[in-house]
Amino acid sequence: MPAVTAFVGLGANLGAARASVLAALEQLAALPATRLVRASSLYRSAPMDAGGPDYINAVAELATELAPLELLDALQALETAAGRERPYRNAPRTLDLDLLLYGSTEIDLPRLQLPHPRMTERAFVLVPLAEIAPERVTRADLLRVAGQAVAHID
């Protein structure tokens, strides 16, 4: 299978959130049949639809030969290894890895929807994505989320 360009959103707001995101970037680079092409700067954002401390966020671009569900499984294994628990929707987390885009693939399964169904509603995804792949984010996308505070921290 030829390599596909995939984008992954990273976030954490429990424990050493910044260190968790940076470690996850290294772990993404070490996934089998996968190469980390580039990563955005780090950003701070308030939780959406939840409480808890601010999040540290980033977006990574990968070149991967893993199929979408294989990549999802690998991302979820990294979350589990980082102590991720899912007690309720939008709970604070030690690590959150969202598969945002996988080439031009569209998938609508209970486990995986591509493109990520809420990515265009979230400044903490669109701003770092626009940093590394401006062709993937429109001006209209950014205007829609302009009221959401996202601070560059790198």
Side-chain angles (χ1 to χ4, degrees), residues 3 14 22-23 28 45 47 55 66 68 84-85 90-91 104 110 115 126 128 136 141 144:
L14 292 179
L22 292 173
L28 289 173
S45 65
Y55 275 85
L66 298 175
R84 168 82 187 261
E85 296 178 358
N90 296 326
S104 59
L126 293 177
R136 300 285 185 148
D141 289 337
R144 256 194 317 277

Side-chain angles (χ1 to χ4, degrees), residues 7 25 35-40 59-62 131-135:
F7 290 90
L25 286 168
R35 180 174 56 87
L36 176 64
V37 176
R38 67 186 135 206
S40 73
V59 170
E61 178 182 346
L62 306 177
E131 177 190 329
I132 63 169
E135 72 282 0

Side-chain angles (χ1 to χ4, degrees), residues 45-89:
S45 65
M48 285 189 73
D49 305 323
D54 284 352
Y55 275 85
I56 303 301
N57 300 103
V59 170
E61 178 182 346
L62 306 177
T64 186
E65 295 175 23
L66 298 175
L69 289 173
E70 289 176 311
L71 182 55
L72 178 65
D73 288 341
L75 298 178
Q76 290 178 341
L78 293 176
E79 289 176 337
T80 299
R84 168 82 187 261
E85 296 178 358
R86 300 171 192 271
Y88 54 90
R89 183 173 170 79

Side-chain angles (χ1 to χ4, degrees), residues 115-132:
H116 190 287
R118 291 173 302 285
M119 69 180 258
T120 60
E121 301 168 7
R122 298 172 169 173
F124 65 83
V125 171
L126 293 177
V127 171
L129 180 59
E131 177 190 329
I132 63 169

